[in-house]
């Protein structure tokens, strides 16, 4: 009887999956076209139109442009789902997908983060804004039964194409939602404050090999390491110059190692300086635990607020890793932390669909019914809404790094310091979970337990007293370190940590049963800063050995309530491997080309007038 019941359940599950996979084919008609850009390059585009579309029943269009392939290819081949969510798919839209210039079945040459050309003087002056404009223009004129309104969305690199698409200024583009977008490659994704994110080492074949013709199959080959331990593999690789044996003909690797500073090459790939008057309604979306693109949504949101305060410009930040709001997981987890159930569905139904429906099907005015900032409090584990971000009632407070290891709100009366020896040959790991160190990009470390790091002698720990009341940090974070080193260069990593009480119970969905939440040190926010860039990202400067020096840098925003009975902790360290490439600690003009002999031990000193500036919601 049990076997029969199990078989019945399996039949029902298969039927459900099969029905879902057939939904698109049953409800949409697919067409594949090449759309010609102003310079003659043709971009491959798939268009899915609802079968009930007619001159009396017109639909808006939802477009995603991507470098990651719009497969399945073939007008008789259908994906299992369309749009940003199943909810949106069933709302009724014409869905458009496009391989961007130089990728997959599209023509042209590929470049990472295509530079923006503000003043286009000829048809040869093309960028992602012009390609977006030309695509939209063709779509509204040639796709039957559209209502003349277009929305654009995309996550990660497609988020960048969405953010760049805002600059197209096409009048039919009414709503734009860049999700986890890259805004500047020197501060997000492949770099953080110019520090190279070596955790991306294995991704370079995807981004640094030109194809020779239009194709539906991958033209690049990924590395096949003989190890499953990324820490050891990359440590054994040695200096980054040794990677040339793998990537000597990888153009993106060569661009990266030959531009170690924030020079014109990187500057012209940034989006932020190009936002002026913004025509479409904008909704930035990000995850508080996005290990790839946390900077982008916050930076673009704040920039548009500054440059065009009259624009409809909103932001959503949820308790997610990279792009994970796009798929419902039931129990919403990040690493070992449980935030609640069906949070992605709530976002998709009550925020994302509401945004696009209002601007593409509804009145399209600024009265969308959505707040300016829809932010998830990762400590209280619930949504909060704000009229602006950072919130108007956010108050700046300083947390000083006491020489006795205490985190206090008043500056110590007498000068003190604490030191540690940083050895780039024995770097502090960024995670205990070695199974995550060989993947495409790391994810879980953004909320992982930090006890393993804080118990090393080369990691400084500063901790508050047990909190008598809840403390909510909501807004920006700035680290103001006063340091000295026996070397001439150093990285400084600052981590903001929520220390759980001893009686904290495990949640029922713990992915790793060997982890306990009793005294768990949950990372809430973190960032790295190369001291070489302390005065200028364009012109690095060596540190003067043994001289007290200011190193100031921004951590990304936060909305987190440290609950009564918890503690607030700050950790400071100088290696964070292999998420961040090792700083030689001896100043060299180009760290990517440092020799083995350039990697030296150094004693790092942090003075007790160092502090972390936070914004507290009162």
């Amino acid at each position: 009887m049990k076997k029969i019941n199990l078989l019945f359940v399996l039949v029902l599950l298969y039927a459900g999956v099969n029905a879902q996979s057939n939904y698109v084919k049953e409800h949409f008609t697919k067409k594949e076209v090449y759309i010609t850009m102003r310079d003659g390059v043709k971009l491959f585009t798939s268009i899915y139109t609802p079968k009930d579309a007619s001159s009396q029943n017109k639909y808006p269009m939802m477009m995603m442009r991507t470098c990651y392939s719009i497969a399945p290819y073939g007008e008789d081949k259908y994906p299992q789902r369309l749009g940003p969510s199943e909810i949106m798919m069933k709302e009724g839209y014409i869905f458009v997908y496009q391989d961007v210039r130089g990728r997959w079945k599209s023509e042209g040459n590929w470049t990472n983060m295509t530079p923006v050309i503000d003043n286009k003087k000829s048809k040869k002056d093309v960028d992602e804004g012009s390609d977006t404009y030309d695509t939209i223009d063709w779509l509204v004129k040639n796709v039957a039964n559209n209502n003349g309104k277009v929305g654009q969305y995309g996550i990660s690199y497609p988020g960048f194409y969405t953010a760049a698409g805002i600059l197209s200024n096409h009048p039919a583009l009414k709503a734009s939602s860049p999700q986890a977008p890259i805004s500047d490659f020197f501060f997000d994704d492949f770099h953080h404050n110019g520090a190279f994110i070596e955790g991306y080492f294995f991704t370079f074949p995807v981004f640094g090999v030109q194809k020779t013709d239009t194709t539906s199959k991958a033209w690049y080959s990924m590395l096949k390491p003989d190890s499953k331990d990324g820490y050891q593999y990359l440590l054994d690789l040695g200096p980054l110059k040794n990677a040339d044996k793998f990537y000597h003909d990888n153009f993106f690797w060569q661009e990266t190692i030959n531009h170690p500073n924030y020079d014109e090459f990187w500057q012209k790939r940034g989006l932020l300086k190009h936002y002026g008057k913004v025509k479409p309604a904008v909704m930035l979306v990000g995850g508080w635990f996005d290990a790839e693109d946390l900077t982008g949504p916050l930076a673009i949101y704040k920039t548009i607020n500054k440059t065009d305060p009259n624009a409809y410009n909103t932001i959503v930040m949820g308790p997610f890793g990279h792009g994970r709001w796009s798929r419902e997981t039931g129990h919403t987890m990040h690493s070992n932390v449980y935030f609640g159930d069906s949070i992605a569905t709530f976002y998709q139904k009550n925020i994302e669909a509401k945004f696009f429906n209002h601007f593409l099907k509804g009145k399209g005015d600024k009265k969308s019914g959505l707040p300016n900032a829809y932010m998830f409090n990762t400590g209280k584990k619930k949504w909060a809404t704000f009229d602006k971000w950072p919130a108007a009632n956010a108050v700046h407070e300083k947390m000083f790094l006491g020489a006795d290891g205490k985190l206090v709100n008043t500056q110590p009366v007498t000068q003190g310091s604490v030191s540690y020896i940083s050895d780039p040959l024995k770097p502090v790991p960024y995670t205990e979970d070695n199974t995550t160190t060989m993947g495409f990009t790391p994810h879980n470390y953004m909320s992982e337990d930090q006890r393993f790091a804080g118990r090393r002698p080369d990691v400084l720990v500063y901790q508050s007293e047990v909190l008598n009341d809840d403390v909510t940090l909501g807004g920006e974070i700035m680290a103001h370190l006063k340091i000295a080193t026996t070397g001439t260069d150093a990285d400084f990593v600052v981590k903001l940590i929520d220390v759980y009480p001893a009686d904290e119970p495990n949640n029922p969905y713990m992915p790793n049963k060997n982890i306990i939440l009793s005294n768990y040190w949950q990372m809430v926010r973190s960032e790295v800063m190369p001291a070489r860039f302390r005065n200028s990202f364009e012109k690095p400067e060596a540190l003067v050995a043994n001289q007290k020096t200011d190193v100031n840098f921004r951590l990304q925003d936060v909305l987190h309530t440290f609950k009564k009975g918890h503690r607030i902790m700050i950790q400071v360290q100088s290696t964070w491997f292999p998420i961040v490439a090792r700083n030689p600690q001896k100043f060299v003009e180009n760290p990517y080309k440092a020799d083995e002999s350039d990697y030296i031990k150094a004693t790092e000193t942090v003075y007790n007038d160092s502090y972390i500036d936070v914004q507290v919601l009162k």
Side-chain angles (χ1 to χ4, degrees):
M1 185 67 181
K2 288 182 178 179
K3 289 185 178 179
I4 294 175
N5 286 339
L6 178 60
L7 179 63
F8 181 67
V9 169
L10 290 174
V11 169
L12 287 177
L13 288 172
Y14 175 80
V17 171
N18 196 49
Q20 176 63 35
S21 64
N22 288 333
Y23 183 90
V24 178
K25 187 173 183 178
E26 291 172 356
H27 291 83
F28 292 85
T29 300
K30 182 180 181 182
K31 185 177 182 180
E32 295 180 337
V33 298
Y34 273 101
I35 300 177
T36 304
M37 302 294 102
R38 64 190 64 182
D39 64 344
V41 170
K42 297 177 181 179
L43 304 187
F44 188 83
T45 310
S46 295
I47 304 165
Y48 298 84
T49 302
K51 290 185 175 180
D52 64 350
S54 67
S55 57
Q56 287 76 42
N57 186 31
K58 295 184 177 182
Y59 287 102
M61 289 183 278
M62 283 285 291
M63 179 175 70
M64 187 184 77
R65 306 181 66 243
T66 181
C67 59
Y68 293 131
S69 167
I70 62 170
Y73 296 104
E75 291 190 342
D76 61 337
K77 301 293 192 300
Y78 288 79
Q80 289 193 2
R81 198 187 82 176
L82 294 173
S85 70
E86 183 179 344
I87 293 166
M88 286 287 290
M89 177 176 70
K90 295 181 178 180
E91 285 278 354
Y93 286 88
I94 299 168
F95 292 100
V96 178
Y97 296 86
Q98 185 176 78
D99 287 330
V100 297
R101 182 179 291 256
R103 299 293 280 187
W104 300 90
K105 294 197 75 173
S106 285
E107 298 177 349
N109 291 319
W110 153 256
T111 184
N112 284 287
M113 294 280 288
T114 311
V116 175
I117 303 172
D118 287 322
N119 300 310
K120 298 175 177 66
K121 298 178 181 179
S122 74
K123 291 184 177 180
K124 293 183 178 181
D125 289 338
V126 294
D127 56 17
E128 301 306 336
S130 68
D131 283 356
T132 301
Y133 186 100
D134 294 348
T135 299
I136 292 175
D137 209 53
W138 189 94
L139 291 171
V140 295
K141 293 174 181 176
N142 292 279
V143 175
N145 304 316
N146 78 82
N147 73 354
K149 296 181 180 180
V150 178
Q152 189 175 1
Y153 71 99
I155 296 173
S156 193
Y157 226 139
F160 160 74
Y161 294 115
T162 305
I166 293 170
L167 303 172
S168 70
N169 291 321
H170 196 288
L173 181 61
K174 301 298 183 183
S176 179
S177 182
Q179 303 183 8
I182 314 155
S183 62
D184 192 312
F185 253 160
F186 205 71
F187 299 96
D188 208 359
D189 219 274
F190 279 84
H191 301 87
H192 283 208
N193 290 321
F196 175 58
I197 304 301
E198 197 168 351
Y200 282 64
F201 181 80
F202 302 105
T203 71
F204 274 85
V206 177
F207 303 107
V209 179
Q210 293 285 4
K211 64 185 179 65
T212 58
D213 199 356
T214 58
T215 181
S216 60
K217 297 181 179 180
W219 60 96
Y220 48 83
S221 298
M222 305 300 288
L223 291 182
K224 295 180 174 61
D226 57 357
S227 173
K228 294 182 180 179
D229 181 348
Y231 181 101
Q232 193 63 49
Y233 178 85
L234 291 171
L235 191 64
D236 290 343
L237 177 66
L240 288 172
K241 63 185 295 184
N242 293 343
D244 255 20
K245 64 185 177 183
F246 302 120
Y247 293 149
H248 65 276
D249 57 353
N250 185 295
F251 75 86
F252 186 48
W253 177 259
Q254 296 301 321
E255 289 170 344
T256 300
I257 66 175
N258 287 310
H259 297 277
N261 307 323
Y262 194 50
D263 59 13
E264 183 183 7
F265 176 82
W266 296 114
Q267 290 176 24
K268 68 182 183 180
R269 280 164 168 74
L271 288 177
L272 301 179
K273 64 183 178 182
H274 300 286
Y275 291 111
K277 293 297 180 182
V278 173
K279 292 183 178 180
V282 177
M283 183 176 75
L284 279 306
V285 180
W288 286 126
F289 302 106
D290 186 345
E292 296 185 41
D293 300 304
L294 178 56
T295 301
L298 291 161
I300 294 173
Y301 166 78
K302 292 177 184 180
T303 298
I304 293 177
N305 274 354
K306 183 177 180 180
T307 58
D308 188 3
N310 294 319
Y312 182 96
N313 177 44
T314 60
I315 189 168
V316 182
M317 296 294 294
F320 304 110
H322 188 63
R324 297 188 179 185
W325 50 88
S326 66
R327 292 288 189 276
E328 182 54 70
T329 57
H331 308 305
T332 304
M333 301 284 297
H334 191 272
S335 184
N336 300 296
V337 185
Y338 168 61
F339 292 102
D341 288 343
S342 304
I343 298 175
T345 295
F346 176 87
Y347 157 76
Q348 292 167 10
K349 181 179 180 180
N350 299 293
I351 303 175
E352 183 176 57
K354 189 173 183 178
F355 169 77
F356 281 115
N357 285 342
H358 178 76
F359 288 102
L360 300 179
K361 294 184 175 184
K363 292 182 178 180
D365 56 16
K366 292 186 177 181
K367 298 179 181 179
S368 66
L370 292 168
N372 182 269
Y374 224 134
M375 316 295 265
F376 194 92
N377 185 316
T378 54
K380 286 187 175 181
K381 300 182 179 179
K382 66 179 184 179
W383 289 101
T385 61
F386 299 89
D387 294 332
K388 58 182 291 189
W389 184 264
N393 63 332
V395 178
H396 284 273
E397 291 188 5
K398 296 178 181 179
M399 301 189 299
F400 286 90
L401 310 184
D404 56 359
K406 293 182 179 179
L407 192 65
V408 295
N409 293 118
T410 56
Q411 183 170 348
V413 176
T414 59
Q415 180 173 293
S417 65
V418 61
S419 301
Y420 58 95
I421 298 173
S422 175
D423 185 355
L425 299 185
K426 295 181 179 180
V428 180
Y430 75 91
T431 179
E432 281 186 297
D433 186 357
N434 280 341
T435 65
T436 67
T437 59
M438 296 291 285
F440 194 78
T441 55
H443 288 286
N444 287 337
Y445 81 95
M446 291 284 283
S447 66
E448 280 183 350
D449 187 1
Q450 298 300 303
R451 281 176 283 194
F452 77 96
R455 291 166 179 167
R456 284 180 55 123
D458 50 358
V459 178
L460 300 184
V461 176
Y462 304 90
Q463 188 171 221
S464 74
E465 298 294 337
V466 174
L467 300 177
N468 294 320
D469 299 290
D470 288 357
V471 175
T472 300
L473 303 189
E476 298 177 343
I477 308 172
M478 278 289 297
H480 296 265
L481 300 186
K482 319 288 184 179
I483 63 92
T485 178
T486 58
T488 50
D489 196 6
D491 285 350
F492 289 94
V493 176
V494 170
K495 298 185 290 191
L496 171 68
I497 294 165
D498 186 341
V499 179
Y500 293 14
D503 61 356
E504 183 77 20
N506 280 7
N507 67 67
Y509 314 113
M510 301 282 288
N512 187 338
K513 301 304 179 183
N514 294 323
I515 298 294
I516 55 172
L517 296 185
S518 171
N519 295 123
Y520 192 81
W521 293 6
Q522 182 205 331
M523 193 159 76
V524 175
R525 190 61 69 244
S526 55
E527 192 55 283
V528 59
M529 180 66 185
R532 64 194 289 113
F533 293 132
R534 66 195 180 280
N535 295 323
S536 169
F537 288 104
E538 295 88 346
K539 298 178 180 180
E541 299 175 34
L543 291 163
V544 177
N546 300 310
Q547 178 175 297
K548 187 177 180 181
T549 306
D550 289 349
V551 177
N552 303 320
F553 60 101
R554 184 179 301 283
L555 285 71
Q556 297 310 314
D557 295 19
V558 67
L559 178 58
H560 185 89
T561 295
F562 293 79
K563 293 183 177 180
K564 178 182 177 180
H566 289 224
R567 296 174 186 258
I568 302 173
M569 177 185 288
I570 296 292
Q571 289 184 2
V572 179
Q573 61 200 63
S574 290
T575 53
W576 204 20
F577 191 73
I579 188 68
V580 174
R582 296 168 297 147
N583 188 316
Q585 303 187 159
K586 172 185 175 183
F587 183 85
V588 293
E589 292 295 331
N590 187 339
Y592 294 99
K593 300 182 180 182
D595 294 321
E596 187 79 52
S597 59
D598 293 322
Y599 289 77
I600 61 172
K601 288 183 182 180
T603 299
E604 318 293 358
T605 299
V606 178
Y607 293 91
N608 64 348
D609 50 348
S610 300
Y611 64 92
I612 311 300
D613 185 289
V614 296
Q615 290 187 281
V616 179
L617 298 185
K618 297 294 187 179

